[in-house]
Structure formats: structure tokens, C-alpha cells
Amino acid sequence: MANAKRIHQLLNRLYKICDELSEECDGRPCTPSGFCIGTPGEFLAADAFGLKLLPGNSKDFDAETPEGEPVQIRSSGKGSYIPIYGGQGLLLVVKIRKTTIQLIYGGPAINAWDAARKPNHRGVRTISLTTLKMLYADLPQVLRMKKRDHSPA
């Protein structure tokens, strides 16, 4: 598994470079997006929640729980919507900013799937981070994904 501390350090550098680029471009925004946030976000989320990442070419799911339940992981840097690819398994959504990872939603994917916009021509739905936060707030504790304990034994 990748080194979470090192990923945080590299993301911090990436955001610093983007801030400098924004300054040089007369204040126009230059923010990381797409795979620059998504891939590191998958590693950081998997590390934080004790998930096993699946191979990068896995269809629909990014990881699985220790019990083998499939998990979609979605990371956002600046966006307000994320795509979801179905209502099966679990959905874990995190927001990445420099050295922090913020949990937005971690629970059954079906809740988000049912609340999301209508599917596009590829069957992908989008849902706002605000809606996900509200769904997570209403989610019973027993259905919430739990962060793993990183403290030494």
C-alpha cells in the first residue's frame, strides 16, 4: 500500500504549485482535479478506512472492505458534484485539500444513488456534496463506514 504521509506531502506541494500558478496567471484559478485528486484520494481513503484497493482497471468499484464488500471511492478537490456508478455496495466520498481528508459520506451506495440526478447516457448519476452530507447526517451509526484505528497496539 502507498505511504499515506508521503501522498499528503505531495498533494500539499501540488496545491502550492497551483496557488503559485494562479498568482502568475493574474489570479485565474488553477486547481488540481480529475486523476490528480482522484487517485491519491483513493489511496488516502483506503488507508483511513482499512480498505483493500482493487486493481486500477476494476469496473465500478475501487476497493473492498475486509469482509469483501465492494466500495466506490470518490474524491473531490474543489467540485460540488461527484459521479456515482450504481447503487450496489458501499460509497465512500472524501474531500481532499492539501494535508486534510474530510469525510463527506460513507455508507450504502443505494442511498446516494436514489437521491442522485437522473443517469446520463452512460448510466452515470451525479450527486452534490451538500446532498451527500445531509444523507450522511441522517444515516444510522450502524450503517456508517468506520475509520480504522491508527493508534499503536
Side-chain angles (χ1 to χ4, degrees):
M1 166 106 23
N3 181 329
K5 183 177 180 180
R6 179 77 175 131
I7 291 173
H8 277 294
Q9 291 170 344
L10 291 170
L11 281 172
N12 196 29
R13 284 178 38 203
L14 177 63
Y15 274 99
K16 184 175 174 149
I17 289 168
C18 288
D19 289 345
E20 291 175 21
L21 282 169
S22 290
E23 288 176 22
E24 290 299 320
C25 296
D26 297 327
R28 290 188 173 100
C30 178
T31 54
S33 61
F35 288 112
C36 281
I37 293 299
T39 299
E42 288 176 7
F43 278 93
L44 293 173
D47 179 66
F49 286 83
L51 305 173
K52 177 186 172 200
L53 283 175
L54 299 174
N57 61 352
S58 298
K59 184 170 172 23
D60 298 331
F61 298 102
D62 305 298
E64 60 184 27
T65 66
E67 298 76 32
E69 190 163 8
V71 181
Q72 291 181 58
I73 301 174
R74 297 291 164 260
S75 304
S76 176
K78 65 173 180 82
S80 54
Y81 284 84
I82 55 107
I84 52 176
Y85 298 91
Q88 302 80 26
L90 298 170
L91 175 65
L92 179 59
V93 180
V94 294
K95 189 160 192 162
I96 307 285
R97 180 68 176 139
K98 295 186 180 177
T99 59
T100 63
I101 178 171
Q102 175 192 5
L103 174 63
I104 303 296
Y105 181 87
I110 192 66
N111 297 11
W113 184 254
D114 288 345
R117 295 176 173 181
K118 291 182 181 181
N120 67 15
H121 65 283
R122 295 181 316 174
V124 177
R125 294 183 181 194
T126 59
I127 188 166
S128 74
L129 297 182
T130 301
T131 300
L132 285 167
K133 286 178 185 178
M134 289 188 299
L135 288 173
Y136 189 69
D138 292 339
L139 195 63
Q141 288 288 333
V142 69
L143 296 178
R144 292 180 180 196
M145 293 181 70
K146 312 273 188 292
K147 280 191 171 184
R148 74 178 186 163
D149 183 9
H150 279 71
S151 62

